[in-house]
Amino acid sequence: MSVALEALAEEAFDKAFQEEPTVVSRAPGRVELLGNHTDYNGGLVLAAAIDRFTVVVGRTRPGREARAIAANFDNQKDEFAIDGLDRDRSEGWRRYVRGVVWAVQENYGPLRSGFDLAIAGNVPLGAGLSSSASLQAALGVFLLAAGVVPGGEAGSTPLSDPERMRLAHTLRKSENEYVGVGSGLLDQFSVLFGRENHALMLDCRTLEYERLPLGNPAPAIVVCDSKTARRLADGMYNRRREECERVVSYFQRLRPGANVTQLRDISPEDLQAEWDALDPVGRLRARHVLTENERVRRGAEALKRGDVATFGKLMSASHRSSRDDFQNSSPALDALIEAAQQSPGFLGGKLSGAGWAGCTVNLVEPDKAEAFADSVRIEYARRMGIEPAIHVCHAADGASGRAIQV
Ligand code: GLA
């Protein structure tokens, strides 16, 4: 599939620059399997990279200019000086491109030269599948593989895990400080650390991680896009963060000197003990986050013993907790989950990512994935009058780059 994307990006590149690109990189999208809104609370997440990709092709050029083409957006072009990037000028995909260039230079030092590139992708946009982190990682790996990053190796050397982690933090910086979205590390980590047929567990506090086998044959990861707009999602996301922080402040006042900085520092027993004194909204949010951490722990244990059925049940429990306690579901997302529950091969499912709209993610027995997709499509359309988009995916490798053989 990414061969076709590479061809598309190369065609756009040739057309714009009348030259052949010399480096290609690609990065997958991601789904969050368990651990909804735990990342910025210092908690645990279980995610997987999926086989939908952003591909970047390009080459270095002398001087301090960069030119970029977006094949999926009618070959729109951006052209900018790589030094002194101004955070507020660009919009849409251009902002992500410039943000990565800015953050890479902040963390690694000034780039050695300018570059030309073209981007093509098939990660559904705005659906909660981290198309933006995928774009960021493809760009970041392109810059490393092209040899323009100081200290970066040119060529096809696979990135080591420490290099991936450094890049993940850099991309997060771009998202937080350049694009202006206060997200955690989950998305950038997942698209960089993915592995075929594996899930990824990340402790967002210690940054310890583990790749966990999804089984053999691995279940399909079926993403159901509700096709509902995420207009409110950014505002609601920040509000949820504040609600979580309010609970942290409460415990800070209760126990000065106890070094409580995130919900991770509060145990389920602490929460229970203060339940009546806590504000009624904050305590629900905290209960979701704390029980969700526990589901991630149990989910990781289940995968280690090859028990995908239990893992699926934990995903469904996660959805209920998001819906009832964190309140970031929607009628459309609930309808998708209810449709999934009565469809063939369903092992478990939940909303994925920020919530309020976008996608659900379901684990489905591999040989029933198509029947599952047909059944959800019919039932969701019947209930909501909306045709969903359904993507049958599999856990994929994280971002990579290489020289193009001529
Ligand atoms: C969005 C954010 C992630 C994470 C999820 C919720 O996808 O980008 O960092 O907070 O929401 O788990």
Side-chain angles (χ1 to χ4, degrees):
M1 194 177 281
S2 68
V3 175
L5 289 176
E6 192 176 328
L8 186 66
E10 279 191 17
E11 194 188 311
F13 189 92
D14 291 347
K15 210 166 136 196
F17 307 119
Q18 287 86 45
E19 273 191 297
E20 301 276 316
T22 57
V23 174
V24 58
S25 64
R26 72 169 203 186
R30 72 94 186 87
V31 287
E32 170 199 287
L33 295 173
L34 275 176
N36 190 235
H37 287 265
T38 52
D39 59 352
Y40 56 83
N41 287 303
L44 306 172
V45 279
L46 246 158
I50 51 166
D51 53 353
R52 297 295 187 278
F53 298 97
T54 307
V55 167
V56 170
V57 301
R59 63 188 297 152
T60 58
R61 66 192 294 240
R64 310 296 297 163
E65 295 284 315
R67 296 181 293 184
I69 305 290
N72 295 97
F73 294 104
D74 292 328
N75 290 345
Q76 282 173 17
K77 191 171 182 183
D78 194 19
E79 201 164 347
F80 58 94
I82 58 177
D83 302 312
L85 279 167
D86 175 343
R87 286 177 209 196
D88 301 315
R89 277 201 342 233
S90 55
E91 285 302 327
W93 67 272
R94 294 180 176 88
R95 197 171 173 93
Y96 282 95
V97 173
R98 293 176 182 212
V100 170
V101 174
W102 171 80
V104 165
Q105 299 200 96
E106 290 282 307
N107 280 9
Y108 295 75
L111 295 183
R112 290 183 178 131
S113 79
F115 52 86
D116 291 331
L117 57 80
I119 307 159
N122 63 7
V123 184
L125 302 181
L129 296 175
S130 285
S131 55
S132 56
S134 173
L135 169 60
Q136 291 178 323
L139 280 164
V141 171
F142 166 79
L143 296 175
L144 288 168
V148 292
V149 179
E153 277 300 312
S156 61
T157 320
L159 293 180
S160 67
D161 277 5
E163 284 167 324
R164 287 178 192 276
M165 194 54 95
R166 184 175 184 200
L167 185 56
H169 284 293
T170 304
L171 301 180
R172 183 187 178 190
K173 183 182 178 75
S174 160
E175 177 98 4
N176 291 172
E177 296 176 33
Y178 196 96
V179 180
V181 178
S183 60
L185 191 65
L186 171 68
D187 304 343
Q188 290 81 14
F189 165 79
S190 308
V191 301
L192 281 158
F193 281 78
R195 181 167 295 168
E196 201 177 351
N197 290 341
H198 283 67
L200 299 160
M201 165 143 148
L202 175 68
D203 182 326
C204 296
R205 168 157 284 179
T206 64
L207 300 186
E208 285 168 322
Y209 58 87
E210 222 176 329
R211 295 181 174 97
L212 301 165
L214 278 167
N216 192 10
I221 297 173
V222 183
V223 175
C224 301
D225 185 343
S226 64
K227 291 281 176 185
T228 49
R230 294 212 303 169
R231 233 171 0 107
L232 295 174
D234 285 350
M236 294 301 280
Y237 186 90
N238 290 334
R239 190 197 289 185
R240 286 294 178 277
R241 285 187 72 127
E242 283 159 24
E243 288 163 355
C244 293
E245 280 158 18
R246 277 211 314 263
V247 176
V248 172
S249 310
Y250 173 88
F251 279 92
Q252 284 169 338
R253 286 194 301 275
L254 189 71
R255 299 188 195 140
N259 203 17
V260 175
T261 59
Q262 287 174 306
L263 284 181
R264 182 69 179 273
D265 300 310
I266 298 161
S267 70
E269 295 73 35
D270 293 336
L271 186 67
Q272 201 49 48
E274 296 306 315
W275 189 258
D276 293 337
L278 280 160
D279 84 85
V281 170
R283 66 191 184 189
L284 290 179
R285 310 300 184 240
R287 183 166 69 184
H288 164 76
V289 172
L290 299 190
T291 57
E292 189 72 352
N293 283 336
E294 198 44 40
R295 280 184 286 274
V296 176
R297 275 194 201 95
R298 287 169 53 203
E301 283 161 19
L303 289 184
K304 283 180 190 166
R305 27 168 228 275
D307 182 358
V308 178
T310 295
F311 190 85
K313 291 198 179 101
L314 289 163
M315 287 176 71
S316 296
S318 164
H319 183 78
R320 290 192 292 274
S321 176
S322 292
R323 182 191 65 196
D324 300 339
D325 280 356
F326 212 70
Q327 297 176 323
N328 61 332
S329 189
S330 70
L333 293 173
D334 291 342
L336 273 178
I337 290 294
E338 283 157 29
Q341 277 160 355
Q342 60 186 64
S343 296
F346 177 73
L347 295 165
K350 61 184 270 295
L351 62 84
S352 176
W356 293 284
C359 291
T360 62
V361 55
N362 305 272
L363 280 199
V364 179
E365 292 169 33
D367 54 338
K368 305 221 173 76
E370 293 305 331
F372 173 87
D374 289 343
S375 159
V376 171
R377 197 175 284 118
I378 292 166
E379 181 59 15
Y380 180 74
R382 190 185 69 75
R383 286 199 195 191
M384 300 296 296
I386 305 172
E387 185 75 20
I390 302 198
H391 311 280
V392 176
C393 305
H394 296 90
D397 283 337
S400 61
R402 61 175 167 80
I404 295 175
Q405 308 296 335
V406 278

